[in-house]
Amino acid sequence: MESIGLVRWTPARMRARLTDVIGVYKAAFLDVHEPDPARAAIERTMHARRHAERRDLRAVAALLPDDRLIGFTYALPGRKGQWWHDVVSDALPPEDAVRWLGDCLEIVEFHVLPEFQGQGVGRELMRELLRDAPQRTAALSALELPGSRARRLYASEGFVPLLSNFQFPGSWVEYAVLGKHLTHTEPVQEEEPRSRKAEPRAGRAHGADGRRVRAV
């Protein structure tokens, strides 16, 4: 059983670990869903590097005691002029666009290495990412696979479909766009991370409510 800790990363720290971030992304998603994973990884590296230049980035990493990255997620506040924000906003009815994207934390990436999936790591990453977020809502896009592990996780965490079978410009892949209303609580002072024991795949997922993590 391996101890896993959650750490909030500053933009600078994410830039420093970008190779590891893309490595997890490739193993967890690109190798499974992309016809040319290597090329897709290069493209996503450029996007992630640009995102990590923003001071308002929120990022959370799941690390083993030896500092190995096994999962990560990051998000940015939505705003006009951002590609994802504008495409989704235009696809929604105007009143829904205002309701869901007017003050939204847009989750850009969310991945866990395959060998650590089904152990509650993803749930803890998601909860820590959204804990004390000042935005009114959170939103993301996920592959249109309603019975997948990721979709079941999102549904259990309160995400609801805003768009179904949606195709982004230039792609034939169908996505679901999901949104969640955030409940605001008082921020928790950050300190050294508590670690957890990785559970067997059949084990019950543990939440991360109230988990205190350090920022680096």
Coordinates of all heavy atoms in Angstrom, one line a residue, residues 50-113:
R50 N 1.5 27.3 -22.0 CA 0.8 28.7 -22.0 C -0.1 28.9 -20.8 O -0.1 29.9 -20.2 CB 0.0 28.8 -23.3 CG -0.6 30.2 -23.5 CD -1.2 30.3 -24.9 NE -2.4 29.4 -25.1 CZ -2.4 28.4 -25.8 NH1 -1.3 28.0 -26.5 NH2 -3.5 27.6 -25.9
H51 N -0.9 27.8 -20.5 CA -1.8 27.9 -19.3 C -1.0 28.2 -18.0 O -1.4 28.9 -17.2 CB -2.6 26.6 -19.2 CG -3.5 26.4 -20.3 ND1 -4.0 25.2 -20.6 CD2 -4.1 27.3 -21.2 CE1 -4.9 25.3 -21.7 NE2 -4.9 26.5 -22.0
A52 N 0.2 27.5 -17.9 CA 1.0 27.7 -16.7 C 1.6 29.0 -16.5 O 2.2 29.3 -15.5 CB 2.0 26.6 -16.6
E53 N 1.5 29.9 -17.5 CA 2.0 31.2 -17.4 C 1.0 32.1 -16.7 O 1.3 33.3 -16.3 CB 2.3 31.8 -18.8 CG 3.4 31.1 -19.6 CD 4.8 31.3 -18.9 OE1 4.9 32.3 -18.2 OE2 5.7 30.4 -19.0
R54 N -0.2 31.7 -16.6 CA -1.3 32.5 -16.0 C -1.2 32.4 -14.4 O -1.2 31.3 -13.9 CB -2.7 32.1 -16.5 CG -2.9 32.6 -17.9 CD -4.3 32.2 -18.3 NE -5.4 32.6 -17.4 CZ -6.7 32.5 -17.7 NH1 -7.0 32.0 -18.9 NH2 -7.6 32.8 -16.9
R55 N -1.2 33.5 -13.8 CA -1.1 33.6 -12.3 C -2.4 33.0 -11.6 O -2.4 32.7 -10.5 CB -0.9 35.0 -11.9 CG 0.5 35.6 -12.3 CD 0.7 37.0 -11.9 NE 0.7 37.1 -10.4 CZ 0.8 38.2 -9.8 NH1 0.9 39.4 -10.4 NH2 0.9 38.2 -8.5
D56 N -3.5 33.0 -12.4 CA -4.8 32.6 -11.8 C -5.0 31.1 -12.0 O -6.1 30.6 -11.7 CB -6.0 33.4 -12.3 CG -6.1 33.4 -13.8 OD1 -5.2 32.7 -14.5 OD2 -7.0 34.0 -14.4
L57 N -4.0 30.3 -12.4 CA -4.1 28.9 -12.6 C -4.3 28.2 -11.2 O -3.6 28.6 -10.3 CB -2.9 28.3 -13.3 CG -2.8 26.8 -13.5 CD1 -2.3 26.5 -14.9 CD2 -1.8 26.3 -12.4
R58 N -5.1 27.2 -11.1 CA -5.3 26.4 -9.9 C -4.8 25.0 -10.4 O -5.4 24.4 -11.3 CB -6.7 26.3 -9.4 CG -7.2 27.6 -8.9 CD -8.7 27.5 -8.5 NE -9.0 26.7 -7.4 CZ -9.0 27.1 -6.1 NH1 -8.9 28.3 -5.8 NH2 -9.3 26.2 -5.2
A59 N -3.9 24.4 -9.6 CA -3.4 23.0 -10.0 C -3.2 22.2 -8.7 O -2.8 22.7 -7.7 CB -2.1 23.1 -10.8
V60 N -3.5 20.9 -8.8 CA -3.4 20.0 -7.7 C -2.7 18.7 -8.3 O -3.1 18.2 -9.3 CB -4.7 19.6 -7.0 CG1 -4.4 18.7 -5.8 CG2 -5.5 20.9 -6.6
A61 N -1.7 18.3 -7.6 CA -1.0 17.1 -8.0 C -1.1 16.0 -6.9 O -1.2 16.3 -5.7 CB 0.5 17.4 -8.1
A62 N -1.2 14.8 -7.3 CA -1.2 13.6 -6.5 C 0.2 12.9 -6.6 O 0.7 12.6 -7.7 CB -2.2 12.6 -6.9
L63 N 0.9 12.8 -5.5 CA 2.3 12.4 -5.5 C 2.6 11.3 -4.5 O 2.0 11.2 -3.4 CB 3.2 13.6 -5.0 CG 3.2 14.8 -5.9 CD1 3.8 16.0 -5.2 CD2 3.9 14.6 -7.2
L64 N 3.5 10.4 -4.9 CA 3.9 9.3 -4.0 C 5.1 9.9 -3.1 O 5.6 11.0 -3.4 CB 4.5 8.1 -4.8 CG 3.4 7.4 -5.7 CD1 4.1 6.2 -6.4 CD2 2.3 6.9 -4.9
P65 N 5.4 9.2 -2.1 CA 6.5 9.7 -1.2 C 7.8 10.0 -1.9 O 8.6 10.9 -1.5 CB 6.7 8.6 -0.2 CG 5.3 7.9 -0.1 CD 4.8 8.0 -1.5
D66 N 8.1 9.3 -3.0 CA 9.3 9.6 -3.8 C 9.1 10.7 -4.8 O 10.0 11.0 -5.6 CB 9.8 8.4 -4.5 CG 8.8 7.8 -5.5 OD1 7.8 8.5 -5.7 OD2 9.1 6.8 -6.2
D67 N 8.0 11.5 -4.7 CA 7.7 12.6 -5.5 C 7.3 12.3 -6.9 O 7.2 13.1 -7.8 CB 8.9 13.6 -5.6 CG 8.5 15.1 -5.9 OD1 7.4 15.5 -5.3 OD2 9.2 15.8 -6.6
R68 N 7.0 11.0 -7.1 CA 6.5 10.6 -8.4 C 5.1 11.1 -8.6 O 4.2 10.9 -7.7 CB 6.5 9.1 -8.6 CG 5.9 8.6 -9.9 CD 5.7 7.1 -9.9 NE 5.1 6.6 -11.1 CZ 4.5 5.4 -11.2 NH1 4.4 4.6 -10.2 NH2 3.9 5.1 -12.3
L69 N 4.8 11.7 -9.8 CA 3.5 12.2 -10.1 C 2.6 11.1 -10.6 O 3.0 10.5 -11.6 CB 3.6 13.4 -11.1 CG 2.2 14.0 -11.5 CD1 1.7 14.8 -10.4 CD2 2.4 14.9 -12.7
I70 N 1.5 10.9 -10.0 CA 0.6 9.8 -10.4 C -0.8 10.4 -10.9 O -1.6 9.6 -11.5 CB 0.3 8.8 -9.3 CG1 -0.4 9.4 -8.1 CG2 1.6 8.1 -8.9 CD1 -1.0 8.4 -7.2
G71 N -1.1 11.7 -10.6 CA -2.3 12.3 -11.1 C -2.2 13.8 -11.0 O -1.4 14.3 -10.2
F72 N -3.0 14.5 -11.7 CA -3.0 15.9 -11.6 C -4.3 16.5 -12.2 O -5.0 15.8 -13.0 CB -1.8 16.5 -12.4 CG -2.0 16.5 -13.9 CD1 -2.5 17.7 -14.5 CD2 -1.6 15.4 -14.6 CE1 -2.7 17.6 -15.9 CE2 -1.8 15.4 -16.0 CZ -2.3 16.5 -16.7
T73 N -4.6 17.7 -11.8 CA -5.7 18.4 -12.5 C -5.4 19.9 -12.4 O -4.7 20.3 -11.4 CB -7.1 18.1 -11.8 OG1 -8.1 18.8 -12.4 CG2 -7.1 18.5 -10.3
Y74 N -5.8 20.6 -13.4 CA -5.7 22.1 -13.3 C -6.8 22.8 -13.9 O -7.5 22.2 -14.8 CB -4.3 22.6 -13.8 CG -4.1 22.6 -15.3 CD1 -4.5 23.7 -16.1 CD2 -3.5 21.5 -16.0 CE1 -4.3 23.7 -17.4 CE2 -3.3 21.5 -17.3 CZ -3.7 22.7 -18.1 OH -3.5 22.7 -19.4
A75 N -7.1 24.0 -13.5 CA -8.2 24.8 -14.0 C -7.9 26.3 -14.1 O -6.9 26.7 -13.5 CB -9.4 24.6 -13.1
L76 N -8.6 27.0 -14.9 CA -8.5 28.4 -15.1 C -9.9 29.1 -15.0 O -10.8 28.5 -15.5 CB -7.8 28.7 -16.4 CG -6.4 28.3 -16.6 CD1 -6.0 28.3 -18.1 CD2 -5.4 29.1 -15.8
P77 N -9.9 30.3 -14.5 CA -11.2 31.0 -14.5 C -11.6 31.3 -16.0 O -10.7 31.7 -16.8 CB -10.9 32.3 -13.8 CG -9.7 32.0 -12.9 CD -8.9 31.0 -13.7
G78 N -12.8 31.0 -16.3 CA -13.3 31.3 -17.7 C -13.4 32.8 -18.0 O -13.8 33.6 -17.1
R79 N -13.2 33.1 -19.2 CA -13.4 34.5 -19.6 C -13.5 34.6 -21.1 O -13.0 33.7 -21.9 CB -12.2 35.4 -19.1 CG -10.8 35.1 -19.7 CD -9.8 35.8 -18.9 NE -8.4 35.6 -19.4 CZ -7.3 35.8 -18.8 NH1 -7.4 36.3 -17.6 NH2 -6.1 35.6 -19.3
K80 N -14.1 35.6 -21.6 CA -14.3 35.8 -23.1 C -12.9 35.9 -23.7 O -12.0 36.5 -23.2 CB -15.1 37.1 -23.3 CG -16.6 36.9 -22.9 CD -17.4 38.2 -23.3 CE -18.8 38.0 -22.9 NZ -19.6 39.3 -23.2
G81 N -12.9 35.4 -24.9 CA -11.6 35.4 -25.7 C -10.8 34.1 -25.5 O -9.9 33.9 -26.3
Q82 N -11.2 33.2 -24.6 CA -10.6 31.9 -24.5 C -11.4 30.9 -25.4 O -12.6 30.9 -25.4 CB -10.7 31.4 -23.0 CG -9.8 32.2 -22.1 CD -9.9 31.8 -20.6 OE1 -9.2 32.3 -19.8 NE2 -10.8 30.9 -20.3
W83 N -10.7 30.1 -26.1 CA -11.3 29.3 -27.1 C -12.4 28.4 -26.6 O -13.5 28.4 -27.1 CB -10.2 28.4 -27.8 CG -10.7 27.5 -28.9 CD1 -11.0 27.9 -30.2 CD2 -11.1 26.2 -28.8 NE1 -11.4 26.8 -30.9 CE2 -11.5 25.8 -30.1 CE3 -11.1 25.2 -27.8 CZ2 -12.0 24.5 -30.4 CZ3 -11.5 23.9 -28.1 CH2 -11.9 23.6 -29.3
W84 N -12.1 27.6 -25.5 CA -13.1 26.7 -25.0 C -14.3 27.4 -24.5 O -15.4 27.1 -24.7 CB -12.5 25.8 -23.9 CG -13.3 24.7 -23.4 CD1 -13.3 23.4 -23.8 CD2 -14.3 24.8 -22.4 NE1 -14.2 22.6 -23.1 CE2 -14.9 23.5 -22.2 CE3 -14.9 25.8 -21.6 CZ2 -15.9 23.1 -21.3 CZ3 -15.9 25.5 -20.7 CH2 -16.4 24.2 -20.5
H85 N -14.0 28.5 -23.7 CA -15.1 29.3 -23.2 C -16.0 29.9 -24.3 O -17.3 29.7 -24.2 CB -14.5 30.5 -22.4 CG -15.6 31.4 -21.8 ND1 -16.0 31.3 -20.5 CD2 -16.2 32.5 -22.4 CE1 -17.0 32.2 -20.3 NE2 -17.1 33.0 -21.4
D86 N -15.4 30.4 -25.3 CA -16.3 31.0 -26.4 C -17.0 30.0 -27.2 O -18.2 30.2 -27.5 CB -15.4 31.8 -27.3 CG -14.8 33.1 -26.7 OD1 -15.3 33.4 -25.6 OD2 -13.9 33.7 -27.2
V87 N -16.4 28.8 -27.5 CA -17.1 27.8 -28.2 C -18.3 27.3 -27.5 O -19.4 27.1 -28.0 CB -16.1 26.6 -28.6 CG1 -16.9 25.4 -29.1 CG2 -15.1 27.1 -29.6
V88 N -18.1 26.9 -26.2 CA -19.2 26.4 -25.4 C -20.3 27.5 -25.1 O -21.5 27.2 -25.2 CB -18.7 25.9 -24.0 CG1 -19.8 25.4 -23.1 CG2 -17.7 24.7 -24.3
S89 N -19.8 28.7 -24.9 CA -20.8 29.8 -24.6 C -21.7 30.0 -25.8 O -22.9 30.1 -25.7 CB -20.1 31.0 -24.3 OG -21.0 32.1 -24.0
D90 N -21.1 29.9 -27.0 CA -21.9 30.1 -28.2 C -22.9 28.9 -28.5 O -23.9 29.1 -29.1 CB -21.0 30.3 -29.5 CG -20.2 31.6 -29.5 OD1 -20.6 32.5 -28.7 OD2 -19.3 31.7 -30.2
A91 N -22.5 27.8 -28.0 CA -23.4 26.6 -28.2 C -24.6 26.5 -27.2 O -25.5 25.8 -27.5 CB -22.6 25.3 -28.1
L92 N -24.5 27.2 -26.1 CA -25.5 27.2 -25.1 C -26.5 28.3 -25.4 O -26.2 29.3 -26.0 CB -24.9 27.4 -23.7 CG -24.1 26.3 -23.1 CD1 -23.3 26.8 -21.9 CD2 -24.9 25.1 -22.8
P93 N -27.8 28.1 -24.9 CA -28.8 29.2 -24.9 C -28.2 30.3 -24.1 O -27.5 30.1 -23.1 CB -30.0 28.6 -24.3 CG -29.9 27.1 -24.5 CD -28.4 26.8 -24.4
P94 N -28.5 31.6 -24.6 CA -27.8 32.7 -23.9 C -28.0 32.7 -22.4 O -27.0 33.1 -21.7 CB -28.6 33.9 -24.5 CG -29.0 33.4 -25.9 CD -29.3 32.0 -25.7
E95 N -29.2 32.4 -21.9 CA -29.4 32.4 -20.4 C -28.6 31.3 -19.7 O -28.1 31.5 -18.6 CB -30.9 32.3 -20.1 CG -31.5 30.9 -20.5 CD -32.0 30.9 -22.0 OE1 -31.6 31.9 -22.7 OE2 -32.8 30.1 -22.3
D96 N -28.4 30.2 -20.4 CA -27.6 29.1 -19.8 C -26.1 29.5 -19.8 O -25.3 29.2 -18.9 CB -27.8 27.8 -20.5 CG -29.1 27.2 -20.2 OD1 -29.8 27.6 -19.2 OD2 -29.5 26.3 -20.9
A97 N -25.7 30.2 -20.9 CA -24.3 30.6 -21.0 C -23.9 31.6 -19.8 O -22.9 31.5 -19.2 CB -24.0 31.3 -22.3
V98 N -24.9 32.5 -19.5 CA -24.6 33.4 -18.4 C -24.6 32.7 -17.1 O -23.8 32.9 -16.2 CB -25.7 34.5 -18.4 CG1 -25.6 35.4 -17.2 CG2 -25.6 35.4 -19.7
R99 N -25.6 31.8 -16.9 CA -25.8 31.0 -15.7 C -24.6 30.2 -15.4 O -24.1 30.1 -14.2 CB -27.0 30.2 -15.7 CG -27.3 29.3 -14.5 CD -28.4 28.4 -14.7 NE -28.6 27.5 -13.6 CZ -29.4 26.4 -13.6 NH1 -30.1 26.1 -14.7 NH2 -29.6 25.7 -12.5
W100 N -24.1 29.4 -16.4 CA -23.0 28.5 -16.2 C -21.6 29.0 -16.4 O -20.7 28.5 -15.8 CB -23.3 27.2 -17.0 CG -24.4 26.4 -16.5 CD1 -25.7 26.3 -17.1 CD2 -24.4 25.5 -15.4 NE1 -26.5 25.5 -16.4 CE2 -25.7 25.0 -15.3 CE3 -23.5 25.1 -14.5 CZ2 -26.1 24.0 -14.3 CZ3 -23.8 24.2 -13.5 CH2 -25.1 23.7 -13.4
L101 N -21.5 29.9 -17.3 CA -20.1 30.3 -17.7 C -19.8 31.8 -17.3 O -18.7 32.2 -17.5 CB -19.9 30.2 -19.2 CG -20.1 28.7 -19.7 CD1 -19.7 28.7 -21.2 CD2 -19.2 27.8 -19.0
G102 N -20.8 32.5 -16.7 CA -20.6 33.9 -16.4 C -19.5 34.1 -15.3 O -18.9 35.1 -15.2
D103 N -19.4 33.1 -14.4 CA -18.5 33.1 -13.3 C -18.0 31.7 -13.0 O -18.5 31.1 -12.0 CB -19.1 33.8 -12.0 CG -18.1 33.9 -10.9 OD1 -16.9 33.9 -11.1 OD2 -18.6 33.9 -9.7
C104 N -17.2 31.2 -13.9 CA -16.9 29.8 -13.9 C -15.4 29.4 -13.8 O -14.6 30.1 -14.4 CB -17.5 29.2 -15.2 SG -17.3 27.4 -15.5
L105 N -15.1 28.4 -13.1 CA -13.8 27.8 -13.0 C -13.8 26.7 -14.1 O -14.5 25.7 -13.9 CB -13.5 27.2 -11.7 CG -12.0 26.7 -11.5 CD1 -11.0 27.8 -11.7 CD2 -11.9 25.9 -10.2
E106 N -13.1 26.8 -15.1 CA -13.1 25.8 -16.2 C -11.9 24.8 -16.0 O -10.7 25.2 -16.0 CB -13.0 26.6 -17.6 CG -14.2 27.5 -17.8 CD -14.1 28.3 -19.1 OE1 -13.0 28.3 -19.8 OE2 -15.0 29.1 -19.3
I107 N -12.3 23.6 -15.8 CA -11.3 22.5 -15.6 C -10.7 22.1 -16.9 O -11.4 21.6 -17.8 CB -12.0 21.3 -14.9 CG1 -12.6 21.8 -13.5 CG2 -11.0 20.2 -14.6 CD1 -13.4 20.8 -12.8
V108 N -9.4 22.3 -17.0 CA -8.8 22.1 -18.3 C -8.4 20.6 -18.5 O -8.6 20.0 -19.5 CB -7.5 23.0 -18.5 CG1 -6.9 22.8 -19.8 CG2 -7.9 24.5 -18.3
E109 N -7.7 20.1 -17.5 CA -7.2 18.7 -17.5 C -7.4 18.0 -16.2 O -7.4 18.7 -15.1 CB -5.7 18.6 -17.9 CG -5.4 19.2 -19.2 CD -6.0 18.5 -20.4 OE1 -6.6 17.4 -20.3 OE2 -5.8 19.0 -21.6
F110 N -7.6 16.7 -16.2 CA -7.9 15.9 -15.0 C -7.6 14.5 -15.4 O -8.3 13.8 -16.1 CB -9.4 16.1 -14.6 CG -9.8 15.2 -13.5 CD1 -9.3 15.3 -12.3 CD2 -10.8 14.3 -13.7 CE1 -9.7 14.5 -11.2 CE2 -11.3 13.4 -12.7 CZ -10.7 13.6 -11.4
H111 N -6.4 14.0 -14.8 CA -5.9 12.6 -15.2 C -5.3 11.9 -14.1 O -4.6 12.6 -13.3 CB -5.0 12.7 -16.4 CG -5.5 13.4 -17.6 ND1 -6.5 12.8 -18.4 CD2 -5.3 14.7 -18.1 CE1 -6.8 13.7 -19.4 NE2 -6.1 14.8 -19.2
V112 N -5.4 10.6 -14.1 CA -4.7 9.7 -13.1 C -4.1 8.6 -13.8 O -4.8 8.0 -14.7 CB -5.7 9.2 -12.0 CG1 -5.0 8.3 -11.1 CG2 -6.3 10.4 -11.2
L113 N -2.9 8.2 -13.5 CA -2.3 7.0 -14.2 C -3.2 5.8 -14.1 O -3.8 5.6 -13.0 CB -1.0 6.7 -13.5 CG 0.2 7.7 -13.9 CD1 1.4 7.3 -13.0 CD2 0.5 7.7 -15.3

